[in-house]
Amino acid sequence: DQRKSAGDNYHSNSKNSDGETGDMPCACCGISELDDVTLKKCTACQSARNCSDKCRETHRPQHKKACEKRAAEVLRDEMLFKHPKSTHLGDCPICLLLIPYDMYYPTIMSCCSKIMCNGCEVVNKKRETEERLDHRCLFCRHPEPKSQEEYDQNFMKRIEANDPVAMLFMATRKNDNTFEYLTKAAELDDAEAHYQLSNLYGSAGMDAKIKTHHLEQAAIGGHPIARYHLALDEKNSGRMERAMKHFSIAANHGHEPSLKQLKEGYAEGYISKEDFAAALRAYQDTAGDMKSQKTAETQAIQEHLRETAERVQQWPPDILEAVITMIHQAPNFDESR
């Protein structure tokens, strides 16, 4: 009876608030770890502990179902808390510099769906203009679309080839197929698509488990903002150790709000001095790279605009007036801009 009671109650009281095992007795006979008794963890779930091979074999039928569930949780956590090599945007395929995760409207090529930094695109356009060359994709050298219709056709071809970046781009066009495109892109493990779906499920008040699933998949794919929101959910649920892990990984990718959360966690004793210092150094390194990339892009764009303004000032007054009139008559003209 004592043996059965120990086995029945093991999985209900063997974990602390963060899901870790403490000083638990043998899951079969209930004996505690003593000087002459060494308890061994189950190699699959790393949860149940037994004092002998006989106890392990006796407890196996009772433990099997819980073991499989716990083993799946352990494997999931290994994936979830593994530090991604970069953010979901990765590096620019041209200059090989980090693409800042918070970049608004990075350059997406419709012909090959490559995402590149705006600085490389501006420099290339400037070179082609100066040398009187036809504008081409900087990566695959495909001619640049001459109309919005051709632009969309290129993306539709990429969608037919199961390109998640093209699906994500078309989902942002505010059409009736937004959810369908996001779902297909998420099935192809696109981190941004998972994050957008988590927002849709969250705003619609739908199943919270589905929202969390998409946040986790986005975080695994290197999405710092998705991981930040995942960390907030863990924090609000009182799972501070898991929250601090998420904040640390997001801070490593240059996410400033996550660093602020780590500072609060350090002040409250939820993260050690060594772990906080390591996260701070990683944040500073990544933030410095992001700042350098943004500065380079800004300088390239400003130089391009300055040279364009100088050329425009040399235009005859009648041509300049005609161009301004055409701009004002354009259907998408925004006077405030």
Side-chain angles (χ1 to χ4, degrees):
D1 291 340
Q2 179 185 3
R3 178 177 298 180
K4 184 176 185 299
S5 176
D8 288 342
N9 295 330
Y10 181 82
H11 287 286
S12 63
N13 61 13
S14 63
K15 300 174 186 176
N16 60 26
S17 60
D18 277 324
E20 299 296 334
T21 58
D23 295 329
M24 291 299 116
C26 174
C28 182
C29 66
I31 190 172
S32 298
E33 192 167 46
L34 304 172
D35 292 340
D36 57 341
V37 178
T38 301
L39 301 183
K40 296 181 179 180
K41 287 184 179 181
C42 172
T43 56
C45 67
Q46 298 294 313
S47 178
R49 305 204 299 174
N50 296 111
C51 62
S52 64
D53 293 341
K54 181 179 179 181
C55 278
R56 185 176 68 251
E57 292 299 327
T58 303
H59 186 243
R60 186 188 299 277
Q62 181 183 346
H63 172 61
K64 182 177 180 181
K65 186 175 181 179
C67 179
E68 292 175 349
K69 180 180 178 181
R70 177 60 180 162
E73 292 174 353
V74 171
L75 180 61
R76 179 69 173 176
D77 280 355
E78 287 180 359
M79 296 174 57
L80 187 58
F81 292 112
K82 182 179 180 180
H83 287 246
K85 294 181 179 179
S86 64
T87 67
H88 60 296
L89 292 178
D91 299 334
C92 173
I94 305 303
C95 65
L96 303 181
L97 294 178
L98 175 69
I99 297 179
Y101 72 88
D102 57 349
M103 178 187 291
Y104 291 103
Y105 305 111
T107 300
I108 304 177
M109 310 310 297
S110 66
C111 46
C112 57
S113 294
K114 289 295 181 181
I115 301 176
M116 60 186 66
C117 67
N118 295 326
C120 286
E121 175 67 2
V122 169
V123 171
N124 182 56
K125 286 289 181 64
K126 176 185 175 183
R127 178 188 64 82
E128 291 174 333
T129 301
E130 291 176 348
E131 299 178 8
R132 300 180 180 274
L133 301 173
D134 293 334
H135 294 310
R136 292 178 176 273
C137 171
L138 192 54
F139 185 82
C140 69
R141 310 310 299 162
H142 190 278
E144 186 180 83
K146 292 181 172 55
S147 65
Q148 185 64 46
E149 181 180 1
E150 184 180 351
Y151 194 73
D152 292 343
Q153 287 177 353
N154 286 345
F155 272 118
M156 293 307 299
K157 291 180 180 178
R158 297 301 307 168
I159 290 176
E160 292 175 1
N162 286 329
D163 191 317
V165 176
M167 295 175 187
L168 184 64
F169 177 83
M170 294 305 292
T172 63
R173 299 295 296 273
K174 308 296 183 182
N175 54 47
D176 296 334
N177 297 323
T178 296
F179 187 79
E180 178 185 353
Y181 283 137
L182 287 177
T183 302
K184 288 183 178 179
E187 290 173 354
L188 296 169
D189 288 333
D190 185 88
E192 181 64 29
H194 278 296
Y195 176 63
Q196 295 298 336
L197 282 174
S198 73
N199 289 335
L200 290 178
Y201 279 103
S203 61
M206 301 174 71
D207 193 341
K209 290 184 178 179
I210 300 179
K211 173 190 172 183
T212 301
H213 167 75
H214 286 297
L215 280 178
E216 288 181 349
Q217 289 300 116
I220 291 173
H223 201 297
I225 301 177
R227 190 175 290 277
Y228 172 75
H229 288 293
L230 197 59
L232 290 179
D233 290 343
E234 296 283 13
K235 180 181 179 181
N236 294 335
S237 299
R239 296 185 287 267
M240 298 304 296
E241 182 179 352
R242 295 174 65 87
M244 292 299 112
K245 288 181 180 179
H246 283 306
F247 285 136
S248 295
I249 297 174
N252 286 352
H253 287 152
H255 191 252
E256 186 176 1
S258 291
L259 182 66
K260 292 181 179 179
Q261 289 288 340
L262 285 177
K263 289 180 180 178
E264 294 179 6
Y266 173 62
E268 296 173 4
Y270 290 117
I271 183 173
S272 67
K273 180 179 179 180
E274 293 75 15
D275 290 342
F276 175 70
L280 179 60
R281 287 193 297 270
Y283 167 81
Q284 292 172 338
D285 291 342
T286 305
D289 293 341
M290 291 171 56
K291 183 177 180 180
S292 299
Q293 175 69 321
K294 291 179 180 179
T295 300
E297 287 188 4
T298 301
Q299 291 176 346
I301 293 173
Q302 289 178 342
E303 178 66 18
H304 178 68
L305 292 175
R306 183 187 64 78
E307 294 179 358
T308 300
E310 291 178 353
R311 288 197 298 269
V312 168
Q313 290 175 357
Q314 299 174 2
W315 290 358
D318 55 338
I319 295 180
L320 183 59
E321 183 177 355
V323 170
I324 293 176
T325 301
M326 290 173 60
I327 294 175
H328 279 261
Q329 293 176 348
N332 60 346
F333 173 70
D334 184 356
E335 186 174 359
S336 64
R337 297 180 63 184

